[in-house]
Amino acid sequence: MMVYTTDQALVCLLLIVMAGGEVQEHFTPECKQFLYMGTQPRGLDEQPFKKICQFYAGKPRFVTLYDTYNHIPIYSAYTFKRSDGFKKVYVPWMYEPQLSTLSGSREMEQFPSERVHKSFEDVQAVLDDYSDTVMFERGQLNPDEHQADPDDKAATYTLTNVVPQVREFNIGPWAHHEHIIRRRLNNYCRGTAYMVTGITTSGHTIRRNNINRLGIPTYLWSAYCCVDFDHNAPFSERSKFPAFAAYGLNDRENNKVQEMTVQQLEEFLKRVTYVSSSFQIFYDNCMPLGSANRASHLP
């Protein structure tokens, strides 16, 4: 499998399949629970992406904004759960059939036989897309180590939550960053921590059978918002609340993950990707209710 650069995405055909995860025009209240103040990141409305409420075992688990042309998620938004960091031992990879049809169940499902893949691979990634990628591996935007309940962990193993990550970056700087965030939120976030993890692209793709299959992220980024935190935490940690962010280059070299404020990340993303000038990850910049800064923003 080879990596190429493309200036145009192939037109995706919607084909009928069996059943699947829930694709929504607007997130329902039960799915908005994973978004701070029930509000999705602002400034991506004009892009032709699909909103997926990721259902597993009868419950919504997180939400994803999905690019059906490049077959990768733009971001996944979830609530962090205090965990020991252990990964689930074995979960079969799953897919979202409703990306191809509106008639099925809203549950994500295990991949069927290879022959059936042909009926829905035009709008999402399939296992074959990752089978011969030497440089890349499946990197979760909502990582299972940020979840505690076995079903919440299992739900992260859908390819609609996965992007091609350079192996050295995935198991090195990015994994280390995920560990740091898990320990920080475990120790100092007292309430709900809302997380959004996403990507930028620049036209590079993974091809299979001479067809562009997967967009390759240039950068991965992540941000959290926790307004109820330990005000007695050491300053080095307390200064990273209520919200903080980071990004890293998806490459073998120069891939150090840099932490920064959420506003600094937003300005960076405005420079390197297609978000609008109004781009905002968290509603009202994750200002705690009743804070002096929030009051100054009210009419």
Side-chain angles (χ1 to χ4, degrees), residues 54 62 93-96 108 154-162:
Q54 304 276 16
F62 62 102
W93 285 102
M94 293 175 281
Y95 75 110
E96 302 293 344
M108 61 179 71
T156 66
Y157 287 86
T158 167
L159 288 192
T160 52
N161 180 47
V162 160

Side-chain angles (χ1 to χ4, degrees), residues 6 19 44 56 61 154 164 219 228 292:
T6 181
L44 289 164
Y56 180 80
R61 305 292 172 172
Y219 292 97
D228 182 9

Side-chain angles (χ1 to χ4, degrees), residues 188 229-242:
Y188 304 115
F229 60 94
D230 184 358
H231 290 264
N232 295 316
F235 177 77
S236 60
E237 297 296 328
R238 190 171 72 249
S239 62
K240 297 179 176 67
F241 285 93

Side-chain angles (χ1 to χ4, degrees), residues 123-191:
V123 292
Q124 62 186 297
V126 296
L127 294 172
D128 284 351
D129 294 329
Y130 288 91
S131 61
D132 296 325
T133 54
V134 177
M135 280 183 57
F136 302 98
E137 55 188 29
R138 291 166 286 204
Q140 297 168 310
L141 298 189
N142 173 9
D144 69 344
E145 76 164 89
H146 284 185
Q147 303 296 330
D149 180 85
D151 284 343
D152 285 338
K153 285 179 173 289
T156 66
Y157 287 86
T158 167
L159 288 192
T160 52
N161 180 47
V162 160
V163 297
Q165 276 188 261
V166 173
R167 175 174 171 76
E168 290 83 352
F169 177 62
N170 189 31
I171 67 174
W174 194 252
H176 180 63
H177 175 68
E178 290 175 338
H179 298 333
I180 288 174
I181 298 306
R182 179 181 60 81
R183 291 193 296 268
R184 181 181 299 157
L185 297 179
N186 271 351
N187 292 333
Y188 304 115
C189 181
R190 298 292 178 251

Side-chain angles (χ1 to χ4, degrees), residues 7 12 16 30 47 76 80 88 90 102-103 106 111 113 117 139 183 189 209 225 239 253 263 266 270 279 285:
D7 293 326
C12 294
I16 294 178
E30 64 180 342
Q47 302 298 326
S76 284
F80 172 87
K88 196 167 178 67
Y90 173 74
L102 299 176
S103 61
R106 61 187 181 180
F111 272 96
S113 65
H117 286 187
R183 291 193 296 268
C189 181
N209 297 329
C225 167
S239 62
E253 300 177 343
Q263 289 73 28
E266 290 169 347
K270 289 174 187 178
F279 180 64
N285 293 318

